């Protein structure tokens, strides 16, 4: 009969060995009838070879077991894994056992799962004994299968796992041991912790092992040297293995490589250190708060300025150095930022160590993690007291100047009118009697008076514009209407100079139509005034939308100007061209700027000498 091929078939195979072939044959027939697979072995070598390949149970006649056969069998059985305890059914010779027989059976005892059946036997007795043996064997195979599964699982987790018994001997380790230390499981299992991991590490972990072997769950962080002699950071946890009665049988150790986390933690604290050093050297006051607003750090400047200590101001203690008049507003806004995650910005007073309050601009920005959650706040406060004072002084000076310009231009108008009228009358009377030289002087007087009138007129316009109350709710201005008004105001000059004007569709913007007409009238009249003598003046007006505002451009093909002066020309009395060629006062663009800025718009210019200029006016789109 051919030997079964697959291992699962061998798992339930009965190996039969009896010195007389006839006995074995008889057994095989009995088993065949019972549906059990069996294999006859003619001698002990054959039996051992089969056992080695796998079997369900062995049935052997007592007289076949001479000492060499027992030795050989013992040797193969020993080679099998710890899970294996091969059932061995010995068919003894009936009657009172001889001394030799007793000795033999004694030697068999340690071999394994031994059953003695006395001959002669009934066939159902032997079948039931074989079935019992196969069932016991099936349970052993099941244990082996589970063990293999467990090993597979433990070998595939990126953690070092081992089981140590009470004597601190390794009973099981996973493949990670090999990956980290280059030691195969069979080199580790059976060794003590001291012999495997060596000094000084084994001494270092001893107290933790003792605690675990006393029934405690222990976790700690440590460092180990791997097979490349590189230091790894590890997190170790020991779990005691308790019997149902509560006795500690050993421990399971889990060792996790946390080198990456540790490295980034170290890098983080190093960069935090650098950041704090940096923050201590800047002239601003700086601080950091947790996501909930608890301030846990201030820079050195903060303490130097306020003269406080960390204990006094940490958390919410900083309120003591704020201007009490603004504290409520500050707290409200800060709490709102904490709730919404929005940045905070505010100007407020902060008390200096000597009691003086100075104005600070405080900005607080949320610091978010990769999920977008606010993890902390970074705040800085900049001393703007001086800047504020300069701004205030400038504003005062400006309004005084405007006041002066208004009074001067207004009050000068009347005397100038007198000068104008009486010089006219005087010159008309004297004219026939004047010689050439005096005629020339009279011309200077006339043009001087005219210029003075122009200046005062423009200055008065400027004063009126700057004096007008800011409109709280400026209306909507239709720029089509505005442009029509502006064009009609300069109509004569357009006709006289054969100016070509074209405009695209113009939008409705925020502003006052009368005031904006003034702006475009100024731009058109400049485009005509600064034309090239030899070319037909061409003016193109266009509008383009950008976000919530409109940008209107007025482009000419005139003489242009140095682009480096593009900002200067919007200043009061600033002129780039010579008076006798291009008469003017330098007030027009200053007026335009004032009007446009009143509606939160901007005005700017681009130019190229000899090519032309483009003036841009941006204005907020009209709100619906
Ligand atoms: P004014 O025209 O009375 O001198 P403005 O304030 O209107 O004053 O203009 C300031 C200066 O800007 C002008 O003197 C001129 O040098 C320059 N400028 C303004 N518009 C133009 C333009 N379209 N082309 C060339 N230069 C211009």
């Amino acid at each position: 009969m051919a030997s079964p091929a697959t291992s699962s078939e061998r798992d339930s195979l009965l190996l039969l060995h009896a010195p007389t072939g006839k006995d074995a044959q008889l057994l095989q027939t009995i088993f065949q009838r019972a549906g059990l697979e069996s294999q006859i072995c003619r001698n002990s070598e054959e039996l051992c070879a089969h056992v080695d390949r796998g079997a369900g149970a062995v049935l052997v006649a007592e007289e076949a077991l001479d000492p060499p056969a027992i030795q050989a069998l013992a040797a193969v059985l020993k080679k099998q894994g710890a899970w294996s305890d091969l059932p061995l059914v010995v068919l003894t010779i009936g009657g009172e056992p001889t001394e030799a027989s007793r000795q033999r059976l004694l030697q068999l005892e340690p071999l394994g799962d031994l059953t003695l059946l006395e001959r002669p036997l009934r066939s159902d007795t032997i079948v039931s004994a074989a079935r019992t043996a196969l069932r016991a064997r099936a349970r052993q195979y099941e244990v082996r299968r589970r063990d293999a599964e467990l090993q597979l699982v433990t070998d595939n987790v990126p953690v070092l796992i081992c089981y140590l018994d009470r004597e601190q001997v390794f009973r099981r380790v996973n493949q990670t041991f090999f990956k980290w230390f280059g030691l195969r499981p069979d080199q580790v299992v059976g060794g003590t912790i001291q012999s495997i991991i060596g000094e000084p590490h084994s001494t270092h972990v001893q107290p933790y092992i003792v605690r675990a072997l006393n029934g405690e769950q222990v976790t700690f962080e440590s460092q180990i040297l791997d097979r490349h002699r590189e230091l790894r950071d590890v997190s170790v946890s020991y779990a005691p293995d308790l019997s149902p009665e509560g006795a500690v049988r050993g421990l399971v150790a889990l060792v996790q490589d946390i080198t990456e986390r540790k490295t980034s933690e170290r890098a983080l604290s190093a960069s935090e250190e650098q950041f704090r050093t940096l923050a201590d050297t800047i002239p601003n006051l700086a601080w950091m708060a947790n996501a909930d607003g608890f301030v846990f750090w201030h820079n050195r400047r903060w303490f130097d300025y306020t003269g406080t200590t960390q204990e006094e101001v940490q958390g919410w203690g900083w309120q003591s150095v704020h201007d009490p008049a603004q504290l409520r507003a500050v707290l409200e806004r800060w709490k709102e930022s904490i709730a919404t995650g929005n940045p905070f910005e505010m100007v407020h007073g902060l008390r200096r160590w000597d009691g003086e309050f100075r104005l600070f601009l405080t900005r607080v920005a949320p610091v978010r993690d990769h999920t977008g959650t606010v993890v902390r706040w970074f705040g800085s406060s900049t001393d703007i007291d001086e800047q504020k004072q300069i701004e205030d002084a400038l504003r005062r000076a400006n309004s005084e100047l405007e006041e002066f310009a208004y009074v001067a231009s207004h009050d000068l108008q009347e005397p100038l009118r007198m000068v104008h009228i009486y010089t006219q009358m005087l010159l008309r009377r004297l004219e026939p009697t004047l010689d050439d030289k005096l005629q020339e002087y009279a011309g200077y007087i006339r043009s001087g008076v005219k210029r003075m009138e122009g200046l005062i007129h423009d200055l008065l316009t400027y004063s009126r514009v700057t004096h007008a109350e800011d409109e709280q709710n400026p209306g909507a201005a239709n720029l089509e209407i505005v442009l029509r008004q502006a064009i009609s105001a300069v109509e004569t000059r357009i006709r006289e100079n054969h100016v070509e004007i074209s405009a695209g569709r113009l939008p409705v913007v925020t502003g006052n139509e009368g005031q904006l007409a003034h702006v475009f009238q100024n731009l058109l009249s400049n485009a005509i005034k600064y034309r090239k003598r030899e070319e037909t003046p061409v003016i193109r007006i266009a509008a383009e939308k950008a976000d919530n505002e409109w940008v209107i451009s007025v482009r000419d093909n005139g003489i242009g100007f140095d682009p480096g002066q593009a900002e200067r020309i919007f200043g009061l009395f600033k002129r780039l061209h010579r008076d006798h060629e291009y008469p003017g006062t330098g007030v027009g663009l200053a007026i335009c700027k004032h009007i446009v800025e009143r509606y939160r718009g901007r005005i700017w210019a681009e130019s190229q000498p000899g090519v032309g200029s483009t003036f841009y006016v941006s204005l907020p789109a009209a709100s619906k």
Side-chain angles (χ1 to χ4, degrees):
M1 183 183 177
S3 307
T6 66
S7 66
S8 68
E9 280 167 19
R10 294 203 73 101
D11 289 353
S12 55
L13 182 65
L14 296 168
L15 299 178
L16 312 177
H17 181 34
T20 58
K22 246 177 94 203
D23 283 354
Q25 212 86 66
L26 194 66
L27 283 171
Q28 190 163 51
T29 317
I30 292 170
F31 290 139
Q32 216 157 23
R33 252 187 251 133
L36 296 174
E37 194 98 37
S38 60
Q39 169 79 44
I40 295 172
C41 308
R42 275 161 308 179
N43 48 46
S44 76
E45 287 82 60
E46 231 180 87
L47 176 68
C48 287
H50 275 293
V51 167
D52 207 25
R53 281 157 61 196
V58 170
L59 281 95
V60 60
E62 183 193 337
E63 59 275 26
L65 294 169
D66 53 6
I70 291 174
Q71 246 173 39
L73 194 59
V76 232
L77 289 177
K78 217 173 143 190
K79 262 170 51 189
Q80 304 211 329
W83 58 273
S84 173
D85 190 13
L86 185 64
L88 185 61
V89 181
V90 176
L91 312 174
T92 58
I93 303 155
E96 197 54 30
T98 62
E99 184 52 34
S101 155
R102 223 191 332 253
Q103 282 301 322
R104 215 168 19 223
L105 294 177
L106 220 60
Q107 278 184 3
L108 284 173
E109 201 69 55
L111 283 188
D113 187 6
L114 189 66
T115 309
L116 302 179
L117 288 182
E118 191 181 319
R119 280 177 289 187
L121 288 160
R122 282 173 42 185
S123 60
D124 49 357
T125 311
I126 191 138
V127 167
S128 113
R131 286 223 160 95
T132 309
L134 287 176
R135 261 200 305 279
R137 186 61 171 168
R139 278 194 297 276
Q140 293 171 20
Y141 280 120
E142 177 66 13
V143 168
R144 184 177 67 166
R145 198 176 55 72
R146 293 221 179 136
D147 197 65
E149 278 172 7
L150 179 65
Q151 193 66 38
L152 186 72
V153 171
T154 54
D155 280 348
N156 283 286
V157 290
V159 176
L160 189 145
I161 303 174
C162 50
Y163 184 95
L164 279 181
D165 66 16
R166 283 205 64 84
E167 273 63 53
Q168 305 192 15
V169 170
F170 284 99
R171 285 289 160 224
R172 178 195 278 277
V173 298
N174 69 345
Q175 275 297 328
T176 311
F177 218 99
F178 178 69
K179 283 190 206 136
W180 289 7
F181 304 112
L183 288 174
R184 285 192 320 274
D186 63 282
Q187 293 173 293
V188 178
V189 171
T192 61
I193 184 135
Q194 206 181 6
S195 68
I196 301 295
I197 71 171
E199 292 297 347
H201 203 63
S202 71
T203 308
H204 173 66
V205 298
Q206 218 25 243
Y208 300 106
I209 292 185
V210 169
R211 275 164 60 192
L213 289 178
N214 278 326
E216 194 184 327
Q217 167 95 36
V218 203
T219 305
F220 61 98
E221 286 185 3
S222 180
Q223 285 189 321
I224 52 168
L225 271 179
D226 68 11
R227 59 200 291 190
H228 308 296
R229 306 212 55 76
E230 269 173 29
L231 218 49
R232 281 174 190 247
D233 290 289
V234 288
S235 158
V236 183
S237 79
Y238 293 152
D241 172 26
L242 299 170
S243 72
E245 297 77 40
V248 181
R249 294 185 287 217
L251 65 87
V252 177
L254 296 180
V255 186
Q256 202 178 348
D257 189 338
I258 52 166
T259 310
E260 223 165 280
R261 195 189 83 203
K262 279 288 184 190
T263 308
S264 60
E265 271 176 17
R266 281 184 207 111
L268 193 71
S269 60
S271 70
E272 176 124 356
E273 200 50 50
Q274 283 170 0
F275 163 75
R276 288 180 190 215
T277 313
L278 176 78
D280 272 340
T281 60
I282 57 170
N284 306 51
L285 313 191
W287 47 270
M288 280 191 279
N290 294 332
D292 64 1
F294 184 94
V295 179
F296 64 87
W297 176 83
H298 291 88
N299 71 344
R300 197 169 312 138
R301 271 287 292 145
W302 213 91
F303 297 117
D304 289 350
Y305 175 83
T306 57
T308 55
T309 64
Q310 171 77 39
E311 291 68 46
E312 287 168 346
V313 293
Q314 75 173 7
W316 296 83
W318 47 266
Q319 295 173 48
S320 63
V321 296
H322 269 250
D323 185 347
Q326 296 160 317
L327 189 57
R328 246 183 83 134
V330 169
L331 275 173
E332 257 171 38
R333 296 263 298 277
W334 174 219
K335 283 179 178 161
E336 191 190 306
S337 281
I338 294 167
T340 58
N342 290 332
F344 170 102
E345 184 174 317
M346 205 171 167
V347 172
H348 58 84
L350 270 187
R351 195 178 57 223
R352 195 164 62 185
W353 57 272
D354 60 359
E356 187 191 315
F357 276 99
R358 290 179 68 83
L359 270 186
F360 279 79
L361 168 65
T362 292
R363 287 205 169 106
V364 193
V367 180
R368 298 173 189 276
D369 66 9
H370 65 282
T371 66
T373 314
V374 176
V375 285
R376 58 171 62 162
W377 294 89
F378 179 74
S380 73
S381 301
T382 312
D383 189 334
I384 54 161
D385 210 75
E386 225 153 279
Q387 185 189 333
K388 198 87 187 161
Q389 278 174 15
I390 294 169
E391 271 173 23
D392 286 350
L394 197 66
R395 200 170 303 125
R396 265 197 309 278
N398 255 331
S399 67
E400 276 163 16
L401 187 71
E402 279 162 11
E403 196 65 26
F404 169 77
Y406 180 72
V407 172
S409 52
H410 189 264
D411 294 0
L412 280 176
Q413 239 186 352
E414 198 46 38
L416 190 66
R417 229 161 56 92
M418 303 291 282
V419 172
H420 185 82
I421 292 168
Y422 287 102
T423 43
Q424 288 289 51
M425 283 165 64
L426 204 62
L427 289 175
R428 215 172 306 146
R429 282 267 184 98
L430 291 176
E431 205 125 45
T433 68
L434 298 180
D435 62 19
D436 283 357
K437 204 73 208 161
L438 293 178
Q439 285 279 2
E440 195 188 327
Y441 293 165
Y444 288 150
I445 292 176
R446 275 204 197 91
S447 72
V449 168
K450 224 173 134 199
R451 254 176 63 68
M452 181 95 92
E453 267 185 338
L455 249 172
I456 287 186
H457 172 267
D458 283 357
L459 205 52
L460 203 58
T461 314
Y462 178 79
S463 294
R464 288 211 183 96
V465 169
T466 55
H467 255 72
E469 283 286 315
D470 271 2
E471 290 165 75
Q472 290 305 317
N473 289 308
N478 183 342
L479 289 185
E480 302 263 354
I481 296 173
V482 165
L483 185 66
R484 227 172 293 143
Q485 279 182 20
I487 289 178
S488 78
V490 294
E491 206 168 359
T492 326
R493 269 174 285 166
I494 291 177
R495 216 171 326 108
E496 283 170 4
N497 297 296
H498 311 289
V499 180
E500 245 179 55
I501 281 197
S502 66
R505 279 197 61 82
L506 296 180
V508 178
V509 296
T510 304
N512 171 289
E513 284 177 357
Q515 299 252 341
L516 291 177
H518 204 96
V519 171
F520 286 95
Q521 180 192 330
N522 259 315
L523 297 180
L524 291 178
S525 98
N526 278 350
I528 300 168
K529 187 180 356 173
Y530 300 103
R531 69 184 180 276
K532 281 187 264 189
R533 297 284 170 248
E534 65 282 5
E535 260 178 64
T536 308
V538 178
I539 304 174
R540 305 222 176 284
I541 298 147
E544 214 173 288
K545 182 123 193 227
D547 291 332
N548 251 343
E549 57 175 29
W550 283 95
V551 178
I552 296 97
S553 56
V554 179
R555 179 188 303 269
D556 65 44
N557 61 341
I559 57 173
F561 58 86
D562 170 13
Q565 305 289 327
E567 259 184 71
R568 226 174 72 98
I569 56 174
F570 294 97
L572 199 55
F573 304 129
K574 295 293 184 288
R575 311 205 60 224
L576 303 179
H577 296 95
R578 286 204 302 193
D579 207 57
H580 61 273
E581 261 183 279
Y582 302 98
T585 57
V587 177
L589 289 180
I591 291 176
C592 292
K593 186 170 150 80
H594 232 290
I595 294 174
V596 169
E597 286 179 353
R598 166 168 301 157
Y599 303 120
R600 298 187 190 289
R602 283 171 301 126
I603 185 167
W604 68 100
E606 286 169 3
S607 187
Q608 225 180 313
V611 177
S613 313
T614 308
F615 283 78
Y616 297 94
V617 173
S618 80
L619 285 163
S623 43
K624 295 266 155 59

